[in-house]
Amino acid sequence: MKRTDIVDLVGTEKVNVKVNAKGWVRTKRQSKNVAFIALNDGSTIRNLQVVADVAAIGEDVLSKINTGASVSVDGMLVESGGSGQANELQAESIEVLGVADPDVYPLQPKRHSLEFLREKAHLRFRTATFSAITRVRHAMIFGVHKFFNDRGFYNIHTPIITGSDAEGAGEMFRVSVLDPKSPPLDEQGNVDYTQDFFGKETNLTVSGQLEAELAALAMSKVYTFGPTFRAENSNTSRHLAEFWMIEPEVAFADINDNMDLAEDMLKYLVEYVLENCMEDLEFLNNRLKEEEKHKKEQDRSPMNLIERLEFVLAEKFERISYTEAIDVLRNSNYNKKKKFSFPIEGWGADLQSEHERYLVEKHYKKPVIITDYPKDIKAFYMKQNDDGKTVRAMDVLFPQIGEIIGGSQREEEYDKLLMRIEEMKIPKESMWWFIETRQFGTVPHSGFGLGFERLMLFVTGMGNIRDVIPFPRTPQNAEF
Ligand code: 4AD
Ligand code: MG
């Protein structure tokens, strides 16, 4: 018989029909005469209850059915006698496709810690939490493409292997085929990359922005959505060495247009998840409530997950300059009482995530967009303001997360861009193509990068970025 997805069985009104379901056993309860098997195939957070008559199905079959086993069940779909509208499957025959020995199968029908499940990432999709996250992640990817497609943007695939460091932070993973034990050396004794695969030094990209700019300066509205790589040694709950970034780039757009686009996109995506993933969100909401019970009073969020999402939709994001942000932070009670690990002393320092979260969660109590940062803490490509000190940067800060988006208006003037590249000692030769666009038909343009996993943290209420990507890459960890 043809398999039906469990999502189409549990909710349907078409009952009293013969169906086949396949999936993995979440739990089994058995009494003398009857066994109840909760079956899941990933298509929904809900399990299909399979009811098996012990005499009819046979103890030899039922004894092989434990948590983790895979089975195929033929039977009659009927309305459940129990409360709730779920249907159940009365088994006529059960085939065990793959057993899971309960003495060694790592996932037992009990609460496992997220840390434990990270070590079992090859199996954690089989838990309710990770299957919910996987479905939400899929929906968000779809939502991103829909948002841009509906607005006339073109999706651009930008290179993964690159010879340039877009962010200029030098946090890149080298790509090389040279023999690490005896690489060819040049006359100065340095590794001779002209003999490497690409004839030059190459790395995994930290951002698709520079190439997206090239496309925007012809196609007007483009976006990339690709993997990006950062060799920064930040072992935090918000950093990955490999993460996915959404980077729109728009010609004829200034920093205000850029802020509008960022706010529209974030609200659209939050609305999208509320409209399309409510069952999974309700499950994640309850998971979070349980988790918060174990937290200290002051660490608990004042809102539940769904309230947080609705709250973002309701509020107009606060827009302030870096200088205003520093004033608020400097004069805050937190700063005076020395509650920040990095006290705010003066103008010019980068904001830490504790500062960002203070502004969002304690002061403005809504998402905040900060603009016009000191040029010395931002990348070379940002448009310079007339004050000579700041650039037209923008960071979007979210509750629980801190920075979720970083972007800017771009420096479109040839002389100013070149000056900045020289000041920052960026190798001009590797950027000739980028610089050249400012000589031929340059226009004002802007863009930003949304960290996809940071967005996933926000919409799922998970606390650690390692739990919102299937196989996280972090310092000392590239298992699976
Ligand atoms: O602020 P970032 O470094 O900006 C850029 O890369 C620009 N080229 C984007 C652009 O203008 N097109 O990174 C953008 C976002 C951050 O706001 C954050 O959400 C996310 O990417 N991000 C990370 N997410 C997970 N792990 C990391 N190590 C991240 N680093 C940045
Ligand atoms: Mg940033």
Side-chain angles (χ1 to χ4, degrees):
M1 207 186 299
K2 204 166 169 297
R3 178 177 88 91
T4 306
D5 288 343
I6 287 178
V7 67
D8 296 326
L9 296 177
V10 285
T12 183
E13 283 168 19
K14 242 184 89 200
V15 288
N16 304 321
V17 286
K18 290 222 171 157
V19 297
N20 170 266
K22 291 183 171 69
W24 292 264
V25 174
R26 285 280 170 82
T27 57
K28 184 185 80 171
R29 286 184 291 124
Q30 190 170 335
S31 64
K32 196 155 147 279
N33 300 322
V34 61
F36 296 96
I37 299 162
L39 198 65
N40 193 284
D41 65 359
S43 62
T44 164
I45 192 76
R46 290 194 271 169
N47 297 327
L48 176 65
Q49 167 148 287
V50 176
V51 185
D53 184 277
V54 174
I57 299 298
E59 188 51 49
D60 53 330
V61 172
L62 287 171
S63 67
K64 289 190 208 138
I65 299 178
N66 293 299
T67 297
S70 47
V71 296
S72 171
V73 185
D74 286 329
M76 184 70 84
L77 188 70
V78 298
E79 251 178 71
S80 162
S83 59
Q85 336 84 319
N87 298 324
E88 64 183 34
L89 180 56
Q90 285 176 345
E92 283 163 14
S93 71
I94 302 183
E95 184 189 350
V96 178
L97 303 172
V99 295
D101 181 348
D103 292 335
V104 283
Y105 184 62
L107 305 184
Q108 292 307 315
K110 62 161 198 176
R111 240 181 89 92
H112 289 295
S113 75
L114 295 170
E115 289 79 7
F116 172 81
L117 291 173
R118 255 169 246 154
E119 319 239 291
K120 308 286 175 212
H122 58 309
L123 296 170
R124 68 178 177 172
F125 291 109
R126 297 186 189 185
T127 64
T129 299
F130 285 92
S131 72
I133 293 168
T134 303
R135 282 185 296 273
V136 170
R137 191 173 162 110
H138 167 81
M140 293 314 278
I141 295 168
F142 209 79
V144 166
H145 287 299
K146 184 161 166 49
F147 174 83
F148 287 117
N149 186 58
D150 289 352
R151 285 159 186 75
F153 283 67
Y154 297 107
N155 181 220
I156 305 294
H157 287 152
T158 50
I160 312 263
I161 300 174
T162 164
S164 53
D165 179 359
E167 293 307 296
E171 293 166 333
M172 297 191 294
F173 291 101
R174 178 169 296 132
V175 175
S176 172
V177 296
L178 296 179
D179 178 0
K181 281 203 218 101
S182 59
L185 301 178
D186 63 14
E187 277 153 21
Q188 285 86 45
N190 298 320
V191 176
D192 182 7
Y193 287 106
T194 62
Q195 295 187 46
D196 206 344
F197 190 91
F198 297 105
K200 63 195 253 183
E201 221 179 319
T202 50
N203 299 288
L204 295 179
T205 189
V206 296
S207 158
Q209 176 193 326
L210 301 188
E211 290 87 356
E213 282 192 46
L214 311 181
L217 292 172
M219 309 297 293
S220 298
K221 289 183 282 185
V222 302
Y223 71 106
T224 72
F225 187 169
T228 47
F229 307 87
R230 302 219 175 158
E232 55 184 330
N233 206 350
S234 320
N235 235 322
T236 80
S237 58
R238 281 182 294 277
H239 287 87
L240 291 165
E242 176 180 293
F243 63 99
W244 290 72
M245 204 186 338
I246 297 136
E247 296 182 273
E249 196 66 39
V250 185
F252 319 109
D254 66 12
I255 185 85
N256 292 310
D257 302 319
N258 210 28
M259 285 192 274
D260 290 344
L261 181 66
E263 184 165 345
D264 279 355
M265 178 176 79
L266 287 168
K267 286 181 169 164
Y268 177 91
L269 292 172
V270 167
E271 207 168 325
Y272 194 86
V273 78
L274 283 167
E275 270 173 24
N276 292 282
C277 305
M278 206 32 144
E279 264 185 7
D280 287 320
L281 287 184
E282 274 165 3
F283 173 84
L284 291 166
N285 192 20
N286 290 332
R287 192 208 68 84
L288 186 63
K289 269 190 214 155
E290 276 302 308
E291 190 181 273
E292 297 244 306
K293 277 188 201 156
H294 305 285
K295 286 192 189 161
K296 285 193 227 116
E297 180 82 40
Q298 73 260 29
D299 295 336
R300 284 186 206 150
S301 163
M303 282 183 242
N304 77 30
L305 176 62
I306 299 190
E307 285 166 347
R308 269 186 225 169
L309 299 180
E310 284 167 350
F311 169 79
V312 161
L313 292 183
E315 293 292 332
K316 173 121 185 69
F317 298 0
E318 188 73 31
R319 299 181 181 190
I320 59 169
S321 70
Y322 167 89
T323 305
E324 289 171 90
I326 289 290
D327 282 344
V328 168
L329 289 167
R330 193 169 26 206
N331 296 324
S332 68
N333 275 333
Y334 257 57
N335 200 46
K336 288 179 185 152
K337 291 188 182 150
K338 306 214 178 323
K339 281 204 203 163
F340 289 132
S341 319
F342 296 87
I344 296 286
E345 269 141 21
W347 194 92
D350 208 354
L351 300 180
Q352 303 293 326
S353 117
E354 56 175 350
H355 306 131
E356 296 172 341
R357 292 189 55 179
Y358 175 86
L359 290 169
V360 172
E361 291 164 30
K362 300 269 187 305
H363 190 81
Y364 292 105
K365 297 193 165 63
K366 57 171 111 158
V368 175
I369 312 183
I370 302 186
T371 59
D372 303 293
Y373 282 80
K375 65 175 185 189
D376 293 335
I377 57 170
K378 290 290 182 189
F380 73 94
Y381 52 70
M382 296 192 180
K383 176 136 190 87
Q384 296 157 55
N385 281 319
D386 293 336
D387 63 10
K389 292 194 308 191
T390 59
V391 286
R392 236 162 261 180
M394 58 164 232
D395 277 8
V396 182
L397 314 180
F398 254 40
Q400 262 75 41
I401 312 293
E403 179 189 339
I404 195 164
I405 281 181
S408 74
Q409 184 168 338
R410 317 307 190 188
E411 185 56 82
E412 87 283 15
E413 291 180 55
Y414 176 78
D415 295 339
K416 287 192 182 162
L417 179 66
L418 208 58
M419 213 171 66
R420 198 71 191 125
I421 286 180
E422 280 165 2
E423 261 172 26
M424 294 174 81
K425 303 199 167 51
I426 293 164
K428 257 197 314 222
E429 322 76 65
S430 67
M431 295 278 179
W432 64 272
W433 41 271
F434 185 75
I435 300 167
E436 206 169 89
T437 55
R438 275 59 173 174
Q439 284 178 304
F440 305 130
T442 191
V443 297
H445 60 288
S446 299
F448 60 81
L450 166 64
F452 186 57
E453 285 75 20
R454 300 247 175 120
L455 174 71
M456 280 296 297
L457 280 177
F458 184 70
V459 298
T460 60
M462 299 299 287
N464 193 312
I465 200 160
R466 291 166 180 79
D467 297 329
V468 294
I469 186 165
F471 303 106
R473 266 74 182 109
T474 51
Q476 299 299 311
N477 171 38
E479 197 63 57
F480 307 106

